[in-house]
Amino acid sequence: MRQTKTPSFITELSLKTTPVQESTILVRLDTGRQLYNACLGEGLTRLDLIRQSKEFQAIQKLPKTKDGEPNKERTDAFKQLNKKYRFTEYDIHHYAAGIRNSWINEHIGILIAQKIATRAFKAVQKKAFGMAKNVRFKGKNQFDSLEGKNNTTGLIFRNNTLYWSGMEIPCIVDPDNDLISYGLKHRVKYCRLVRRKINDRNRFYVQLILEGTPYQNPNNTIGTEEIGLDVGPSTIAVVGDTRAELKQFCSELIPDQKKKRKLQRKLDRSRRATNPDNYNENGTVKKSKKGSKNWIKSNRYKAISLELSETDRKLAAHRKSLHGRDINEILTIGTRIKTEDVPYKAWQKMYGKSIGIRAPSMFMSSLTRKAENAGGSFDEFPTQTTKLSQICHICEEAVKKPLSMRWHVCCNIRMQRDLYSGFLAKCVDVNTGSLDAARAKILWPGLEPILSEAVSRAYQTAIGKASPASFGFSGILSQSSSLVKPATSISEAMDVVISQMRNESHRELI
Ligand SMILES: [Zn+2]
């Protein structure tokens, strides 16, 4: 299908809905939800039948690989089995069409129904492949979007208006917004209707999936340097040819997260106060005897819960803008990016929620997309083979560095470790995926002063923060302001700053 082949980007417009249109949309979203749940249920049933079948057991015993390649015989056998039990995207489409004819017909077009079926099928597939433990049915008001397959049937955008089975909804278009004007010059592949709950009110948007590459702000020039990138749990290091940066990664989200935690605790206290009978004396929730317990939701509880979801939404929006800012900063240096493939899941276990709110994987995939859209490249190397956080490029030996050690020290090199890892990533040979030590040796003398400058710049920003107390810098300010001169004391002070930031954010977040 042509729409999957060409690059796309999204432009979003607010919809100017009337109350009648709003209720119609809500009914359609809920119909979509029911269809989704039905397809999900049917998919799960079929998956169960497959797993209980004798054939399944037999195929599973076949070797996964043959001569180092995936075993084709096994893959094909599974494919046949899926067909037999009608567990394919096509079959779930067919199933959706069947229900649609009975009661969904008047609300949702066939193509929209197919997209919903695909979404449900993919969710079940994730479970089938072991990528997800379970699938979730959508509860009332939990289904927030619907989309078509083209711009000619179902959801249609034309002349700044969204047409949808009898409805004509004007879109709010700001003619002075360059981003929107740019988007509207492109061909619409298909439209997606989105509902967001903002301050307990429903707001509706249309997302136009457009053919082409996203708008590039003319103020954001695109650089041409090759970049080594290191994203750590709380830092981000960028190493180009003539420029380098060491920054806190999304540290601005910490106050948001604090607020969120506070509300969560408040919510919990409120729930306990109104439902004392549901708790044991030691504070744990009582196991219910029959079915689910009765939980009373007080007005106060509802108000806090509303504030919490609003805080959540703001946090996500804030994160998105911080990611965008950092990505643009990287792209102004260059678009050919090399980095280590980082085990975010493992991090999450070590650092807890402070990683979750920063969403490094989301950052990486967004960076990849934007770099590629700008004509660049994104190369990731497996940590196991490169071991960039351990190795020294002079003696090529692994230097044991506990995570608490923020400096790489070996063979007369002393460098902040994230910047050093970024430097090594830059020197990885993309073909072999291993460090090109000869190249590193050539580049190091030129880059060392650039990296050192990045360290002292980061240090200056850190101590220059308006509210040092909130970051735990108050001690640093008095300790170091008099003695920051030689490079070593800068690096030591920086070390303390970083470790304090780290401790501070962990105390708050875990
Ligand atoms: Zn060494």
Side-chain angles (χ1 to χ4, degrees), residues 390-399 408-413 420:
Q390 305 278 328
I391 213 158
C392 161
H393 78 273
I394 305 282
C395 59
E396 296 178 44
E397 298 279 325
V399 188
H408 169 89
V409 185
C410 190
C411 299
N412 267 333
I413 303 169
Y420 189 69

Side-chain angles (χ1 to χ4, degrees), residues 219-347:
N219 301 326
N220 293 334
T221 48
I222 294 290
T224 52
E225 301 184 9
E226 176 196 57
I227 287 177
L229 178 71
D230 180 90
V231 175
S234 59
T235 55
I236 175 164
V238 187
V239 179
D241 301 320
T242 65
R243 287 156 72 187
E245 286 290 345
L246 174 65
K247 302 174 40 160
Q248 285 280 293
F249 181 48
C250 290
S251 58
E252 291 94 331
L253 293 176
I254 291 170
D256 294 351
Q257 175 72 357
K258 269 190 196 172
K259 190 177 173 200
K260 185 178 162 182
R261 296 281 293 158
K262 221 170 145 183
L263 285 169
Q264 281 169 334
R265 286 193 295 266
K266 221 167 144 186
L267 198 66
D268 186 54
R269 282 197 301 272
S270 162
R271 185 171 37 212
R272 283 170 191 274
T274 17
N275 302 281
D277 297 342
N278 285 348
Y279 292 89
N280 295 313
E281 258 176 38
N282 64 4
T284 54
V285 176
K286 273 187 194 165
K287 285 222 172 80
S288 58
K289 289 170 205 101
K290 255 186 193 173
S292 58
K293 279 179 299 296
N294 256 346
W295 290 95
I296 300 161
K297 288 180 180 168
S298 64
N299 284 337
R300 180 180 148 76
Y301 178 90
K302 283 180 196 157
I304 303 168
S305 148
L306 191 65
E307 199 184 343
L308 182 62
S309 66
E310 186 64 12
T311 306
D312 246 344
R313 189 187 61 79
K314 280 190 187 146
L315 193 145
H318 191 187
R319 177 172 52 218
K320 197 174 173 193
S321 91
L322 294 175
H323 280 182
R325 180 199 66 188
D326 287 349
I327 288 170
N328 284 339
E329 272 178 33
I330 294 172
L331 298 183
T332 54
I333 305 178
T335 58
R336 280 171 299 135
I337 297 162
K338 293 152 91 175
T339 190
E340 217 174 18
D341 174 10
V342 179
Y344 301 112
K345 283 231 169 101
W347 279 5

Side-chain angles (χ1 to χ4, degrees), residues 394-429:
I394 305 282
C395 59
E396 296 178 44
E397 298 279 325
V399 188
K400 272 257 180 295
K401 277 179 271 188
L403 267 173
S404 57
M405 202 171 137
R406 304 308 302 160
W407 294 83
H408 169 89
V409 185
C410 190
C411 299
N412 267 333
I413 303 169
R414 184 181 165 82
M415 182 45 63
Q416 197 280 336
R417 88 181 247 172
D418 304 314
L419 278 166
Y420 189 69
S421 296
F423 162 73
L424 293 180
K426 186 178 165 67
C427 300
V428 167
D429 181 335

Side-chain angles (χ1 to χ4, degrees), residues 441-505:
K441 280 174 192 140
I442 296 169
L443 290 183
W444 180 249
L447 275 167
E448 188 183 13
I450 294 169
L451 298 193
S452 299
E453 203 199 302
V455 172
S456 52
R457 221 172 30 242
Y459 170 66
Q460 293 301 333
T461 343
I463 59 166
K465 279 259 155 61
S467 56
S470 72
F471 283 93
F473 294 157
S474 25
I476 289 294
L477 274 175
S478 51
Q479 275 169 31
S480 52
S481 50
S482 56
L483 44 98
V484 181
K485 264 183 203 115
T488 47
S489 61
I490 289 184
S491 58
E492 275 149 20
M494 181 70 189
D495 215 4
V496 183
V497 168
I498 290 177
S499 74
Q500 286 217 356
M501 283 175 171
R502 193 167 279 266
N503 292 338
E504 185 68 17
S505 53

